[in-house]
Amino acid sequence: MSSGSTCAVVGCHNNSRKLKNALETFCLEHQQLRKACPCPPPYALHSMPRKEDRKLAWLAALRLKHAPKRVYVCSFHFIDKKPTELHPDPELYLGYDRPPPKKRRKLTRTTLSVTASNQASISEQPPEPHLHSVHTQWEDPSQQDHQYCNRSRRKDVQDKMTQCDEVAYFILQNDADALLYTGIALETFNTLVSTLEGYDNNEFTVPVRDQVLMTLMKLKSNRVIGDLSRQFHISQSMASKIISHWLDKLEEVLRPLIPWLPKETIQATMPEAFKKNFPNATCIIDCSETLLQKPRNLGSRGESYSHYYSHNTVKYLVAVAPCGLIMFVSAAYGGRCSDKFITMDSGILTYLKPGDEVMADRGFTIKDILFERKVRLVIPAFTKKCRQLTEEQVTYTRRIANVRIHVERAIRRLKVYKILSQIVPISMAPKVDKILRICAALVNLREDLIRDTQ
């Protein structure tokens, strides 16, 4: 529900509140607020004239079943951007295909004899231009999807700053907005969009910038598809297709941003806390879980049930370098799987070489597996049959905890994307593996997790 004056055209969402918010934004060209800069406002609202004939003409053009008490129409629907003597009524983008009004033919009284040349000139006059409106109403989804911009007029509509590209223009104003809606800085987002230009699907009429923004907003805030479709002025089915398409493409493009670093790079970027106590550390591993909507299939429900959370979950392994970079994220497993099974099945053992050191929690009972590969496992000390740890064991455990905290900080950055910190709908379960890799790559695009490297 919007406040203030709203455009009365069916499907148009322009109102005085949006116009006021637009004037409060910052103009990059003139380095001042838009309400003070010479740039024209994005649109203006024009009230219905008081003359009875013009009022009837406006109501006939709008085709409103129930006209509001005060009728306003924004400048997008006028040929001259405002009512003029030549075009006093709204004629563009009225939410339906309407033929242009037929102009009255001017009768000129001449003599009865008309030359052949005059007849030829009359017959060769160009026809009146036919004005086509743009679909802005909900239509039958079985027939066609909602299209708010004709593909042939896409560039012209974008130049006019219609509703198709207002979202990215108004939402992402600075780094704070970009971090809030996408989880990455504004410059990083712009670079990502330029990289993804070649992966666009011609089926979508929404600009690539808005498509990528919509997908990252789904990952960052986990908003429902209906909410996103309303904000971007498209149908729910179109929004679902866009998000599904870009999840595949983002995973393909961002996969190289989760590299397994060479031993030399790990040593060169190792923080002082590791160099002092664990100079041979290669990675820190830990498992995390994300709640999953209860499956209908009883077998899947049992495999994904986690006794720790008393809920259905997906479980995945994360490996972090000493410098804080996520080097490995496994596929999603059912919450019933143990840490040892995921470690053996995920493929992380193929990256470990003799002489490496892996830090983990007490739950990773994988010492025998790593011993076969000549890899050392660093875990906190166990009490075993003793009632308490010795002084040396307490000191050793504290040193491990001081550096193992970084893998939990990396997982916390992953959980900033609410798609991983809230309940994953069962419809998104087939995409969980790709979502994990995308979120891990986006976390690696942020600033360093540990900043005391030399």
Side-chain angles (χ1 to χ4, degrees), residues 207-414:
V208 176
R209 182 181 176 88
D210 284 1
Q211 296 181 39
V212 178
L213 175 60
M214 184 194 312
T215 307
L216 295 184
M217 287 175 67
K218 174 62 180 175
L219 299 178
K220 182 64 169 61
S221 57
N222 198 21
R223 293 164 59 180
V224 295
I225 300 295
D227 188 15
L228 290 172
S229 64
R230 287 194 176 189
Q231 184 164 8
F232 286 85
H233 308 291
I234 57 177
S235 67
Q236 293 190 32
S237 58
M238 178 63 74
S240 181
K241 290 178 182 178
I242 290 175
I243 292 174
S244 178
H245 168 78
W246 283 110
L247 284 178
D248 297 336
K249 299 303 178 183
L250 280 170
E251 192 273 337
E252 179 183 344
V253 173
L254 297 179
R255 191 184 306 169
L257 296 181
I258 314 175
W260 189 271
L261 299 180
K263 188 70 174 179
E264 298 77 13
T265 307
I266 294 176
Q267 293 290 334
T269 58
M270 184 173 291
E272 288 297 325
F274 283 87
K275 288 182 178 180
K276 183 177 180 181
N277 299 314
F278 306 99
N280 296 322
T282 303
C283 63
I284 317 167
I285 62 174
D286 197 5
C287 282
S288 183
E289 296 185 61
T290 296
L291 300 182
L292 178 69
Q293 183 183 356
K294 183 183 294 185
R296 292 184 179 180
N297 182 274
L298 294 179
S300 301
R301 188 182 300 180
E303 292 175 358
S304 62
Y305 186 80
S306 172
H307 291 280
Y308 183 80
Y309 284 92
S310 299
H311 200 283
N312 295 91
T313 64
V314 291
K315 195 172 184 180
Y316 45 91
L317 176 70
V318 179
V320 179
C323 63
L325 184 78
I326 297 179
M327 297 197 301
F328 179 85
V329 59
S330 71
Y333 293 83
R336 187 180 178 181
C337 297
S338 65
D339 296 346
K340 181 177 182 179
F341 173 79
I342 296 177
T343 306
M344 295 173 57
D345 190 71
S346 62
I348 190 175
L349 297 179
T350 59
Y351 294 99
L352 299 175
K353 298 179 181 179
D356 288 346
E357 234 178 47
V358 177
M359 304 187 68
D361 197 7
R362 290 190 180 96
F364 285 84
T365 56
I366 55 175
K367 188 174 182 179
D368 54 339
I369 302 172
L370 297 182
F371 181 76
E372 297 174 358
R373 298 176 177 269
K374 299 181 180 180
V375 177
R376 183 182 175 219
L377 177 64
V378 179
I379 58 174
F382 288 90
T383 55
K384 296 182 180 179
K385 296 181 180 180
C386 303
R387 293 186 178 182
Q388 62 182 7
L389 299 176
T390 64
E391 185 177 351
E392 292 79 7
Q393 290 176 332
V394 171
T395 304
Y396 181 71
T397 302
R398 285 178 179 175
R399 289 175 179 174
I400 295 176
N402 286 338
V403 294
R404 245 200 91 257
I405 192 66
H406 297 309
V407 69
E408 297 179 6
R409 293 177 60 201
I411 293 176
R412 193 182 311 147
R413 280 193 173 185
L414 272 177

Side-chain angles (χ1 to χ4, degrees), residues 9-12 62-63 65 94-97 134-140 144-148:
V9 174
V10 176
C12 184
L62 297 175
R63 293 187 184 180
K65 293 183 179 179
L94 298 179
Y96 53 85
D97 285 323
V134 178
H135 294 281
T136 55
Q137 285 181 305
W138 296 102
E139 301 176 5
D140 186 5
Q144 64 177 9
D145 219 327
H146 301 265
Q147 294 182 354
Y148 290 80

Side-chain angles (χ1 to χ4, degrees), residues 180-195:
L180 177 63
Y181 291 105
T182 66
I184 54 179
L186 182 58
E187 183 179 358
T188 307
F189 174 77
N190 293 332
T191 305
L192 179 61
V193 171
S194 62
T195 306

Side-chain angles (χ1 to χ4, degrees), residues 21-27 32-35 169-170 173:
N21 293 339
L23 296 178
E24 294 294 335
T25 59
F26 190 76
C27 179
Q32 57 183 336
L33 292 179
R34 295 189 182 276
K35 63 181 179 181
Y169 178 78
F170 286 113
Q173 297 288 331

Side-chain angles (χ1 to χ4, degrees), residues 3-72:
S3 59
S5 306
T6 305
C7 181
V9 174
V10 176
C12 184
H13 305 280
N14 291 334
N15 54 38
S16 58
R17 179 175 58 84
K18 289 184 178 180
L19 183 61
K20 182 179 178 181
N21 293 339
L23 296 178
E24 294 294 335
T25 59
F26 190 76
C27 179
L28 299 178
E29 182 179 356
H30 299 96
Q31 295 297 316
Q32 57 183 336
L33 292 179
R34 295 189 182 276
K35 63 181 179 181
C37 75
C39 293
Y43 58 86
L45 293 172
H46 304 282
S47 60
M48 188 170 62
R50 296 184 178 181
K51 292 184 179 181
E52 192 66 25
D53 55 343
R54 293 266 56 85
K55 183 186 297 185
L56 294 176
W58 273 46
L59 294 177
L62 297 175
R63 293 187 184 180
L64 297 176
K65 293 183 179 179
H66 305 286
K69 186 176 180 180
R70 297 180 180 179
V71 178
Y72 294 91

